[in-house]
Amino acid sequence: METSKIWTNDAFSGVELLSASYTKFEFSKHWHDELAIGIIEEGAEGLLYRGNNLLVPKKHIVAINPAEVHTGFSGTENGWRYRMFYFDLNALAEQFKTRDLPIDPIINRPVIYDEDLFTALLNLHLALEHASFALTKESLFTLALETLFTRYGSAKLEASKPIDMKSSYEARDFINDNFDSNPSLADLESLSNCSRFQLIKHFNLLFGVTPHQYLLLVKVQKAKLFLAQGMSCVDVSLACGFYDQSHFNRNFKRAFGVSPSNYL
């Protein structure tokens, strides 16, 4: 069955997202004004790009630079299932304007095999489809795009700086004090003298988790404590700042292996 879904997320107004599964469908020749980045979840996509017929198999990334004419079609009998990002160039520049080295939104190859980057892009796409905290979406966006442009674009890694322990501890304490109000990456960035990428990197090196992972850990630990004190699942979900009951259930079970109701 062929399906497709296209949407935007309020967190990043300049990003359009597509999730689709095609078997017989073929795209006619076209181009995008945006930078188009896709991940192949199942099957394989055929691609006519710069005069060459390319095959983009499962677990690979497809990158189409702005204004490049191309097509898309099934690369296997069973078609392909994939997810796409369409990044507005002005919005990309705005997101990374505080970066020490500017990002040039041009990718140097159309087909990429990179397991870490594939996972980062998949996690970002899912976070922009389902209920996710601002810190989660912003962190995943920063990590995925920084990796993409430094490995396969013209951007260079920012100069390495010593771990800013003071800023990392301040960021951790801020999360502890404001876990129920869902702090953003911008909130944490304002506490440090680092770029977003450096803040995430330093935090991870010091505590073994990224800031958005730490926020989730604090939330589920607080939730477990509240449940043990006799609070209802609904009240705990609200007290810990989860979006809804399913969001609470999903993250609690990931941490402890049982649902909140079973734990209660």
Side-chain angles (χ1 to χ4, degrees):
M1 182 175 68
E2 297 194 333
T3 62
S4 61
K5 170 186 174 183
I6 194 164
W7 72 98
T8 58
N9 188 287
D10 291 341
F12 305 108
S13 59
V15 183
E16 194 171 75
L17 302 121
L18 170 71
S19 177
S21 178
Y22 298 125
T23 303
K24 302 296 184 182
F25 178 75
E26 295 186 12
F27 289 93
S28 61
K29 287 184 177 181
H30 64 286
W31 72 82
H32 306 285
D33 293 329
E34 306 85 1
L35 171 66
I37 303 294
I39 51 176
I40 310 300
E41 295 185 284
E42 294 291 343
E45 180 185 13
L47 189 71
L48 177 61
Y49 185 68
R50 295 182 176 176
N52 296 312
N53 277 314
L54 306 175
L55 185 69
V56 193
K58 179 180 177 180
K59 296 291 186 180
H60 284 62
I61 299 161
V62 57
I64 307 296
N65 288 318
E68 293 276 8
V69 175
H70 63 285
T71 67
F73 50 90
S74 177
T76 68
E77 290 184 359
N78 297 322
W80 82 105
R81 178 165 59 87
Y82 73 136
R83 292 173 176 269
M84 291 293 301
F85 299 88
Y86 301 98
F87 296 104
D88 178 82
L89 303 188
N90 291 328
L92 273 180
E94 180 68 21
Q95 284 294 328
F96 289 94
K97 67 180 181 181
T98 60
R99 192 178 185 275
D100 291 346
L101 299 171
I103 283 179
D104 180 10
I106 299 298
I107 305 304
N108 61 22
R109 66 188 70 175
V111 182
I112 298 169
Y113 179 69
D114 185 321
E115 292 184 4
D116 292 338
L117 179 57
F118 182 95
T119 300
L121 290 168
L122 175 59
N123 288 338
L124 173 59
H125 206 281
L126 290 170
L128 296 178
E129 181 178 15
H130 305 296
S132 301
F133 300 120
L135 183 57
T136 298
K137 290 182 284 192
E138 293 167 351
S139 297
L140 291 174
F141 186 95
T142 299
L143 289 169
L145 273 294
E146 184 85 10
T147 301
L148 174 67
F149 290 126
T150 53
R151 291 185 183 178
Y152 305 103
S154 61
K156 304 299 182 184
L157 285 171
E158 292 183 282
S160 179
K161 296 180 180 180
I163 296 177
D164 189 341
M165 296 182 64
K166 180 175 183 292
S167 294
S168 295
Y169 277 112
E170 288 176 344
R172 184 200 62 178
D173 292 343
F174 188 85
I175 292 173
N176 287 333
D177 293 339
N178 299 276
F179 75 95
D180 55 339
S181 61
N182 299 327
S184 67
L185 189 58
D187 294 330
L188 302 184
E189 192 178 18
S190 67
L191 298 174
S192 74
N193 296 318
C194 303
S195 69
R196 291 185 170 200
F197 182 76
Q198 290 170 336
L199 172 62
I200 295 170
K201 180 181 178 181
H202 293 175
F203 194 101
N204 190 32
L205 288 172
L206 192 59
F207 300 116
V209 291
T210 61
H212 73 273
Q213 291 170 331
Y214 184 78
L215 173 63
L216 278 173
L217 289 173
V218 173
K219 283 179 177 290
V220 294
Q221 290 289 352
K222 293 288 187 181
K224 186 179 180 182
L225 175 63
F226 292 155
L227 290 171
Q229 293 173 347
M231 290 177 62
S232 71
C233 291
V234 172
D235 288 341
V236 170
S237 177
L238 292 172
C240 292
F242 287 96
Y243 282 104
D244 51 39
Q245 196 64 41
S246 64
H247 190 220
F248 172 40
N249 291 344
R250 183 168 65 252
N251 285 287
F252 190 93
K253 188 170 184 177
R254 282 177 180 170
F256 302 117
V258 295
S259 67
S261 59
N262 285 343
Y263 179 79
L264 184 61

